[in-house]
Amino acid sequence: MADIRFDGKVAIVTGAGGGLGRCHALELARRGAKVVVNDLGASMDGSGGSSAAADEVVKEIEALGGEAIANGSSVTDDAGVKKMIDDAMNKWGRIDILIANAGILRDKSFSKMTMEDIQLVVDVHLMGSFKPIKAAWDIMKEQNFGRIVVTTSSTGLYGNFGQANYGAAKLGLVGMMNTLKIEGAKNNIKINAVCPVAATRMTEGLMPEEVLKQLKPEYVTPGVMNLVKDEAPTGMVLSAGAGAFSMAEIVETNGAFVGQGDALTAEAVADKWDQITDKSTQTHFNAGGEHGQNIFRLLAEGAKG
Ligand code: NAD
């Protein structure tokens, strides 16, 4: 395997003052990238903040002989995001890689979750990814090169008690990715999602110590490097944790044509339920248009009888 290098490339990693983001930033720098280390330095529920965490990681990168600048803005703050992009452009003149990683938690069962808990988590994860990506997008288009990673979660893909806010934001990111992979294709912009599991302050106390030892954030980062390299895939969700990696996809069954007009009743749908839900026929669509084509395929098959 050829070495994966990022010499001459400029990367932005949000939420890189600790946890997974710090590991991504350090590894990018080790492999030659110049890095903007963004971190608001917030507590886990999103309160407070200082650029000290980002400054610390910049020092670590410099100690490795790398180049980095700190940015202490919130990813939800338009002026702060603009400054982050402007700082990168003024210093290095390009933005090749953007890893949207910043995040917080406000876990509560849905009855107890306030609208503020929902708004804040959606703002940080979903809008806090949209804003930097939107600000970097036209720069990447102009360069005819861009590599973007969003950070999703098993909660978004599959669900988890107490995380309706977080899950909605995390699957929203996959929705954004699914369209940007199409819009970015002609300008060599590739966008992927990582679905990590790692022992960080986010998972403290959630699993036994023995298990957490296997889940070093450093064990996720090599997967992420493959999502931002020149030959990266696009539109992929890479699950990563403990040094194990897999691919997650949204799938749909082959389905069934039930009928139209008087033939289409609730009971007729119920009669075909086994065929409609037959998981052995599942496939993944690469674009919404393929979903539409599948409907018309079923219709044509139905018309043939
Ligand atoms: P972490 O708390 O160590 O890191 C998150 C970082 O984001 C912190 O340094 C924090 O200061 C920063 N941050 C928070 N709000 C910010 C804002 N508004 N602007 C800029 N920075 C901000 O947690 P982590 O586990 O490293 O999480 C990184 C990402 O991975 C998050 O998006 C998280 O949801 C996701 N994730 C983590 C796990 C896991 O198992 N740790 C699982 C699934 C997804």
Side-chain angles (χ1 to χ4, degrees):
M1 274 289 153
D3 284 356
I4 296 174
R5 297 287 313 173
F6 301 108
D7 303 291
K9 297 223 155 66
V10 177
I12 297 177
V13 185
T14 70
L20 287 159
R22 172 181 161 273
C23 293
H24 303 339
L26 283 167
E27 192 59 18
L28 285 164
R30 269 189 212 107
R31 291 172 180 272
K34 302 171 174 81
V35 186
V36 179
V37 178
N38 159 271
D39 205 295
L40 171 67
S43 64
M44 212 169 64
D45 70 357
S47 53
S50 94
S51 70
D55 291 337
E56 233 8 82
V57 175
V58 167
K59 277 190 210 143
E60 284 186 82
I61 290 174
E62 285 169 351
L64 293 168
E67 267 188 77
I69 51 175
N71 173 279
S73 309
S74 170
V75 287
T76 61
D77 173 39
D78 293 306
V81 169
K82 183 176 181 315
K83 182 173 170 359
M84 176 172 84
I85 300 290
D86 287 351
D87 285 355
M89 290 303 284
N90 290 337
K91 191 154 171 66
W92 296 310
R94 50 189 298 121
I95 297 168
D96 300 286
I97 295 168
L98 172 57
I99 301 179
N101 163 84
I104 58 164
L105 290 177
R106 285 276 179 111
D107 293 0
K108 277 171 202 154
S109 66
F110 197 53
S111 295
K112 295 194 179 116
M113 193 175 275
T114 64
M115 282 313 295
E116 194 204 341
D117 295 327
I118 296 169
Q119 188 72 59
L120 190 69
V121 167
V122 170
D123 276 351
V124 173
H125 289 276
L126 188 57
M127 297 313 291
S129 297
F130 260 113
K131 286 182 181 188
I133 293 171
K134 173 83 178 125
W137 187 255
D138 285 349
I139 295 168
M140 289 180 169
K141 267 178 79 176
E142 205 135 295
Q143 290 168 178
N144 266 314
F145 186 91
R147 296 288 178 269
I148 300 169
V149 168
V150 294
T151 307
T152 186
S153 159
S154 59
T155 297
L157 299 178
Y158 310 115
N160 193 23
F161 190 93
Q163 294 195 313
N165 50 358
Y166 181 73
K170 288 306 204 186
L171 197 57
L173 291 168
V174 176
M176 165 174 55
M177 173 190 83
N178 283 337
T179 285
L180 294 189
K181 78 177 178 198
I182 296 168
E183 293 193 15
K186 72 173 188 297
N187 293 104
N188 191 17
I189 302 176
K190 298 187 175 176
I191 175 163
N192 296 287
V194 61
C195 176
V197 181
T200 65
R201 65 181 190 167
M202 260 194 198
T203 47
E204 247 167 46
L206 292 185
M207 286 173 258
E209 210 41 53
E210 295 305 281
V211 178
L212 290 175
K213 263 194 231 153
Q214 302 293 330
L215 292 173
K216 294 195 174 134
E218 288 83 353
Y219 296 166
V220 169
T221 296
V224 174
M225 297 301 108
N226 277 276
L227 299 181
V228 296
K229 67 185 180 186
D230 286 2
E231 312 73 17
T234 195
M236 176 173 171
V237 180
L238 180 71
S239 290
F245 301 89
S246 53
M247 183 174 77
E249 280 191 335
I250 294 173
V251 293
E252 189 156 326
T253 61
N254 197 37
F257 176 70
V258 177
Q260 292 184 348
D262 291 346
L264 179 53
T265 61
E267 291 77 11
V269 173
D271 281 345
K272 292 241 167 140
W273 204 254
D274 285 350
Q275 197 184 336
I276 292 167
T277 59
D278 178 3
K279 287 191 184 182
S280 70
T281 64
Q282 282 171 345
T283 49
H284 167 74
F285 298 130
N286 284 308
E290 291 181 16
H291 169 262
Q293 282 166 16
N294 190 50
I295 287 180
F296 282 95
R297 180 188 60 77
L298 289 167
L299 174 64
E301 276 176 23
K304 272 194 244 147

